[in-house]
Amino acid sequence: MKSKKMLALFLSLTMVCSVTACGKSDNEPAKQTSSAQTSSKQPEASNKPQSSPSSKQPETSSTQDTTATPRKETLYLAGQQWGTINDWNPMSSNSNNGMAMGQVGSAREIVWETLFMYNMLDGKLYGLLGTDYAWNSDNTELTVNLNKDAKWSDGSQVTAADVAATFDAHIKYESPVGADFKPYIEKVEAVNDSTVVFHAVKDAKGKAVNSMKVIEFIPKIYIMQKEYLKKVAERNSDKANDIKQDKMEDLVSTGAYKPYYADDQKVVIIRRDDYWGQAKSMWGKLPAPKYIAHTIFSGNDTGLVALKAGEVDVAQMFVPDVQNLWLKDKLPISTYIEEAPYGICAAMPSIWFNTRKEGLNKKEVRKAIAMAVDYGQINKAAMTGQSPTFEEVPRSVMNATEAEQKMIDKDKLKDYQFGNDPEGAKKLLDKAKIVDTDGDGIREYPKGNNLSFKAECPEGWSDWNATLEIVAAAGKEIGINIETYFPDASTYIEDETTGNFDIVMGTPNGTASITCPWQRCLELMSSELNDMDVITRGNFGRWKNKRADELIGLIPNESDSAKLKAYYTELSQIYLDEVPSFTAMYRPAAFHIVNESVWTNYPQKDDGKNIPPYDCTDGYGVAALYNLTPVEE
C-alpha cells in the first residue's frame, strides 16, 4: 500500500500543478451490552488540531459561479445525492436527502447526529451525543449518559428532554421511525438533563420483547431539539402529515455542517465553526473540509468523468474495472483495499418481488426467475469481478464476511442453492402448470394472463441497470416477459417504499450494524410492517411467512450460539425456498473510491486508524473528516 500511496501523492502533486498551469481557478468545481462492544474514547487523529477558519463567505463576482466554493477547502462527494433535495426532515416519509441524512445502522453524521456511532470494523459503538450506555440486569432498561459538551446549533445544551421528545414525536406523528420502534420501546424517560432511559416493551413474562431494537435506536436515529419540534408542530397546526412534509430548512441540529446551498445541480453544506465537537471530550478540533459539496450527476458515468478529472474526492458509486484508474490511467485514485473486491463486502443488493402482484404471488414464478439468472454474467459484466461469486460464498441470509458466514450451517443449505439454470427453471414452471397456451412465447398465470413485469432501479446506476438487463434476459429465456424500467431516483424511492412496482432492485439496510445479521433478516423477511402505506426498511414486496416471523422474534433474546446458528440456518432455508427476494451479488458496503489530488490521508485497510471505509460521512467513518489533510502544492 505504501508504494501505491506514494505514487498517488506524486501524481496528485502533478495534477494540482498542471491545473494551476492551465489557469483554472480554485473556485471551479470540478448491541450487545458488554463493555467490549462500547467505546466512548476516540482514537487520536494523525494531523494537528486546526485553528478555526474565518467565517467570511467566499467572494464571488457577477461572472463567477455563485455556488462555487474554494476547491482546496471543499470535499466533493459523488454517489449519495441523485436529485434535488426535497427536505432536511428526519421524520419524513419520502425524503430523498442522501447527501445529509441516512438513518441506518451506520447513520450519516454530518448535519444531524445520533447518540452513538457504529464502527463495522470492530463492532463497537463510539460516543457522539452520548458518552456511554448500560443495561439493567434483565435488559429491559437501557440507560444513556449524554456528553455535557454537546450543543445545538443555536447554542443551547443538548439534554435528555431532547432525546425523549425525539422519540415522542416519531410516535405521535407516526413517522416511519415511530412505526419501526413503537413495538419495542415503551417510552424514553429523561431522568435528569444528562441521563436518559429507554424502557423496552415487555412480554407477558416481563422480558423485553426485543432488546436488539432498543439498542438499535442509539446509533441509528437522529436526535432533534425539543423546542424546535414545538416550532415545527406550531407552524403546521400539529397535523402529522404536514409535519412529516415540513422541509425543515431552518433546522436546529448538532452536526458539524449545516445547509449552505442546494438546487438541481449541486448541494453544498458548510462547516459550523462553533460546532460543539471541537471540545476535548469529542474530536478536539473541527473537521478539515470547510465545505462538503455534491454535484448531482445524471449517473455513474458522468460521476466517473468528474472523479477522473479530480472534481470528485470521494465516490460512493460503482466503477467498472476500478483498478484500471491507477494501474492503466495512472491517476491518484485508490480504494480501501488494493485488490479485488476493493472494499468490505457487507452489502447484498437484492431483487425484490411484489408478492401482492398476480403471478409474483406464486412461489414457482419467483423461484424460476431467480434460478434462470446468469450470476456469473452479473459478476463479470455488472460487477467486473468486484464481488465474490456464489460458488465462493453460497447463498444464505448472511453477507460475505467471515464473521457472518460462521453463523450458518452451510451443509444444510447445499440443496437450496440455485442460479444459472434456465432449464431447471422451465421444468419448475411446467410442473406447476404455468405454461404458454397461446403460442406467443409468454407463459400465463392465471390462465389467459401473460406473465409480464417491469424490473425497476434508478437510471444511471450502471451496475444495477446491467444487472436488471441480465434478469430480464433470464426471464425471456424461460417464457416470462420482464422489461427494465429506469426512472429518476426520486420516483424509484417512492415506488419502492409504496409498493408501486413489480420487481425492484434494492439493498437491505442491514448491511453492517450493531444488530446484524438479525437486522438483515428482519428487513428481508419480517411482515410486521406489511400493512403500512410506506415501508422504508425492507420487505418491500410485503411477503409473509409465519415461521419466518417466529424465528425473527426468537433471535433477539437468544444467547446460545448453537441455537442462533440453527435459527439463522432455518431462516436461510425458508428464504431460499420461498424467494420473496434474491441476492443478485455481494458488494462492498460502500465503494469508497478516493481521488487524492486535493485531499489525502483517507482510511485504508491495515493503516492502524480503525476508521471504516464509509465515505467520510457514515457511522464512525465520519472520523475520517478529522484526519484528512490537503495535498501541498
Side-chain angles (χ1 to χ4, degrees):
M1 291 302 293
K2 286 185 178 179
S3 60
K4 182 176 169 184
K5 293 284 284 183
M6 290 299 293
L7 175 62
L9 180 59
F10 171 76
L11 291 170
S12 63
L13 290 172
T14 303
M15 181 177 287
V16 171
C17 290
S18 65
V19 168
T20 305
C22 290
K24 292 196 175 184
S25 163
D26 282 343
N27 282 356
E28 288 189 9
K31 313 195 166 164
Q32 191 63 30
T33 65
S34 67
S35 59
Q37 286 186 299
T38 311
S39 177
S40 60
K41 182 180 179 181
Q42 313 301 331
E44 293 182 6
S46 60
N47 52 321
K48 295 180 180 179
Q50 302 170 332
S51 58
S52 298
S54 167
S55 60
K56 182 180 179 181
Q57 305 303 329
E59 296 180 3
T60 61
S61 70
S62 59
T63 60
Q64 288 180 311
D65 177 3
T66 56
T67 73
T69 56
R71 184 65 182 94
K72 296 176 185 176
E73 298 180 54
T74 307
L75 183 74
Y76 270 88
L77 307 179
Q80 293 184 348
Q81 188 64 40
W82 295 98
T84 307
I85 283 178
N86 62 1
D87 66 48
W88 301 81
N89 186 348
M91 291 189 290
S92 174
S93 297
N94 64 343
S95 179
N96 72 343
N97 192 341
M99 167 71 168
M101 300 199 302
Q103 295 184 102
V104 293
S106 292
R108 197 145 292 162
E109 302 281 11
I110 48 180
V111 174
W112 295 96
E113 292 182 323
T114 57
L115 292 167
F116 292 84
M117 302 170 287
Y118 179 70
N119 187 341
M120 71 173 177
L121 295 183
D122 59 16
K124 295 179 182 179
L125 295 182
Y126 288 78
L128 190 54
L129 296 178
T131 58
D132 58 271
Y133 68 88
W135 286 100
N136 65 348
S137 59
D138 59 0
N139 283 21
T140 58
E141 295 180 5
L142 180 68
T143 299
V144 174
N145 292 311
L146 302 183
N147 190 320
K148 295 181 180 180
D149 287 320
K151 300 283 195 303
W152 294 102
S153 52
D154 64 4
S156 62
Q157 185 78 29
V158 175
T159 68
D162 296 317
V163 181
T166 296
F167 176 78
D168 292 345
H170 281 297
I171 298 300
K172 179 178 180 180
Y173 303 121
E174 299 180 331
S175 73
V177 170
D180 192 13
F181 285 93
K182 185 177 181 179
Y184 311 108
I185 300 177
E186 178 187 1
K187 64 178 180 178
V188 177
E189 176 190 7
V191 177
N192 53 48
D193 282 350
S194 58
T195 305
V196 63
V197 177
F198 291 78
H199 295 265
V201 172
K202 301 175 185 176
D203 60 19
K205 297 180 180 180
K207 296 182 178 180
V209 169
N210 190 329
S211 58
M212 280 190 179
K213 288 296 291 184
V214 179
I215 199 170
E216 184 192 26
F217 190 100
I218 64 177
K220 180 176 181 178
I221 304 305
Y222 297 133
I223 303 305
M224 297 178 286
Q225 187 191 54
K226 181 179 180 179
E227 290 304 312
Y228 179 69
L229 286 169
K230 288 181 180 178
K231 178 180 177 181
V232 172
E234 287 172 0
R235 70 187 179 209
N236 290 287
S237 302
D238 208 34
K239 295 180 179 179
N241 286 338
D242 292 344
I243 289 170
K244 287 183 286 189
Q245 293 174 20
D246 193 291
K247 292 185 180 298
M248 289 195 180
E249 292 173 326
D250 61 342
L251 75 167
V252 177
S253 60
T254 60
Y257 293 85
K258 63 182 179 181
Y260 179 65
Y261 181 86
D263 63 12
D264 61 352
Q265 300 295 314
K266 185 192 296 186
V267 183
V268 184
I269 56 177
I270 185 172
R271 187 178 62 205
R272 290 178 42 229
D273 290 348
D274 61 348
Y275 173 52
W276 74 271
Q278 59 194 300
K280 291 182 179 180
S281 63
M282 195 56 221
W283 307 108
K285 61 178 179 178
L286 292 170
K290 182 171 182 177
Y291 305 91
I292 300 178
H294 195 306
T295 301
I296 300 175
F297 297 107
S298 60
N300 287 352
D301 53 348
T302 53
L304 175 57
V305 171
L307 174 68
K308 294 171 73 172
E311 295 171 359
V312 166
D313 300 303
V314 184
Q316 175 4 53
M317 63 186 191
F318 173 71
V319 174
D321 295 310
V322 66
Q323 72 280 2
N324 288 341
L325 296 178
W326 60 84
L327 293 178
K328 291 185 178 181
D329 298 338
K330 306 300 181 183
L331 294 171
I333 292 175
S334 60
T335 49
Y336 180 71
I337 302 175
E338 191 170 7
E339 297 84 20
Y342 306 107
I344 300 173
C345 286
M348 297 166 61
S350 300
I351 311 297
W352 307 74
F353 296 110
N354 190 334
T355 61
R356 293 184 177 180
K357 293 279 186 176
E358 198 74 70
L360 294 176
N361 60 352
K362 189 77 170 171
K363 178 178 78 171
E364 289 83 355
V365 173
R366 302 193 302 267
K367 193 162 189 175
I369 293 172
M371 288 174 64
V373 172
D374 187 340
Y375 298 99
Q377 183 67 8
I378 289 178
N379 189 282
K380 181 180 178 180
M383 288 301 294
T384 62
Q386 298 177 52
S387 171
T389 68
F390 289 110
E391 288 74 28
E392 294 169 327
V393 184
R395 295 178 176 279
S396 69
V397 294
M398 300 298 178
N399 66 23
T401 62
E402 183 179 352
E404 287 200 12
Q405 288 294 308
K406 291 178 179 178
M407 300 177 71
I408 50 170
D409 187 335
K410 294 181 182 180
D411 288 338
K412 291 184 178 180
L413 298 179
K414 287 181 178 179
D415 293 339
Y416 290 84
Q417 301 301 311
F418 54 76
N420 306 353
D421 185 15
E423 294 307 313
K426 291 176 186 178
K427 291 178 181 178
L428 177 66
L429 293 169
D430 290 343
K431 185 177 180 180
K433 300 186 182 332
I434 301 173
V435 297
D436 173 19
T437 62
D438 57 13
D440 64 355
I442 303 175
R443 295 174 186 264
E444 300 149 30
Y445 180 84
K447 187 176 181 180
N449 294 305
N450 281 352
L451 290 176
S452 185
F453 309 109
K454 286 196 305 182
E456 179 176 354
C457 76
E459 180 182 14
W461 293 22
S462 56
D463 51 334
W464 287 20
N465 296 162
T467 297
L468 288 187
E469 294 292 358
I470 293 169
V471 171
K476 182 178 181 180
E477 188 170 358
I478 62 174
I480 297 176
N481 181 46
I482 300 175
E483 298 178 0
T484 56
Y485 169 51
F486 304 142
D488 61 85
S490 296
T491 301
Y492 156 78
I493 291 170
E494 183 174 352
D495 288 347
E496 178 186 55
T497 57
T498 59
N500 183 33
F501 67 88
D502 299 329
I503 301 170
V504 70
M505 188 165 182
T507 301
N509 287 333
T511 296
S513 73
I514 195 70
T515 57
C516 269
W518 174 84
Q519 178 69 26
R520 186 182 309 108
C521 295
L522 181 79
E523 300 196 8
L524 288 173
M525 306 173 75
S526 172
S527 68
E528 67 181 0
L529 300 183
N530 279 10
D531 293 331
M532 291 192 65
D533 293 333
V534 177
I535 296 178
T536 60
R537 76 158 191 216
N539 193 13
F540 303 113
R542 291 163 169 79
W543 173 78
K544 182 178 178 64
N545 181 281
K546 182 179 179 181
R547 179 55 179 165
D549 284 336
E550 289 174 353
L551 289 166
I552 291 168
L554 289 171
I555 289 171
N557 296 319
E558 183 57 67
S559 58
D560 185 294
S561 59
K563 287 184 179 180
L564 287 171
K565 189 170 187 175
Y567 292 159
Y568 282 124
T569 300
E570 186 178 353
L571 277 172
S572 296
Q573 291 171 334
I574 294 170
Y575 183 65
L576 297 177
D577 181 56
E578 290 283 337
V579 198
S581 60
F582 63 91
T583 303
M585 66 188 77
Y586 298 112
R587 204 204 73 171
F591 284 109
H592 192 81
I593 306 167
V594 300
N595 185 314
E596 295 182 86
S597 59
V598 178
W599 301 93
T600 190
N601 207 26
Y602 293 96
Q604 287 192 313
K605 185 179 180 181
D606 300 326
D607 62 7
K609 296 175 184 175
N610 196 38
I611 298 174
Y614 256 134
D615 302 321
C616 309
T617 57
D618 296 359
Y620 193 65
V622 76
L625 292 176
Y626 300 84
N627 281 323
L628 292 181
T629 54
V631 173
E632 299 294 334
E633 291 190 39

